[in-house]
Amino acid sequence: SGAIYIWNVSDGALLRKIEAHAGVVREVACSPDGTILASAGEQSARLWDVATGEVQGVLRHNGDLRAIAFSIAFDPD
C-alpha cells in the first residue's frame, strides 16, 4: 500500500495514517523541525503536514523516485 504511518514512540499509539501514493512509498524524510514529512513514490514526491496529514505540495516526475531528503541552508548572518 502507499500509506505512511506516524506512531507515538512513547506509547506505541498510531497517531496518523496518510494515504500518500497510489503505489509503493519508496522513501520518507522528516523536516528538521518535525513539522513536514516528504514522501517519494511512483512518479511523484509529496510534502505533508505532520499535524494534520494534509498534502502541502506535489512534485511530479516521469519515473519512480527512490530517495528524498531535506537540506538545511546555513545563513551566517
Side-chain angles (χ1 to χ4, degrees), residues 49-60:
D49 183 305
V50 172
T52 66
E54 293 181 14
V55 68
Q56 299 299 302
V58 179
L59 238 124
R60 305 248 180 245

Side-chain angles (χ1 to χ4, degrees), residues 16-57:
R16 184 166 321 289
K17 177 183 176 183
I18 300 172
E19 296 293 342
H21 297 271
V24 176
V25 176
R26 303 277 184 199
E27 183 85 12
V28 174
C30 193
S31 66
D33 66 1
T35 62
I36 300 293
L37 193 67
S39 63
E42 295 178 7
Q43 299 183 342
S44 70
R46 297 171 189 243
L47 297 175
W48 305 92
D49 183 305
V50 172
T52 66
E54 293 181 14
V55 68
Q56 299 299 302

Side-chain angles (χ1 to χ4, degrees), residues 6-15:
I6 300 174
W7 302 90
N8 182 328
V9 294
S10 299
D11 63 9
L14 176 63
L15 298 176

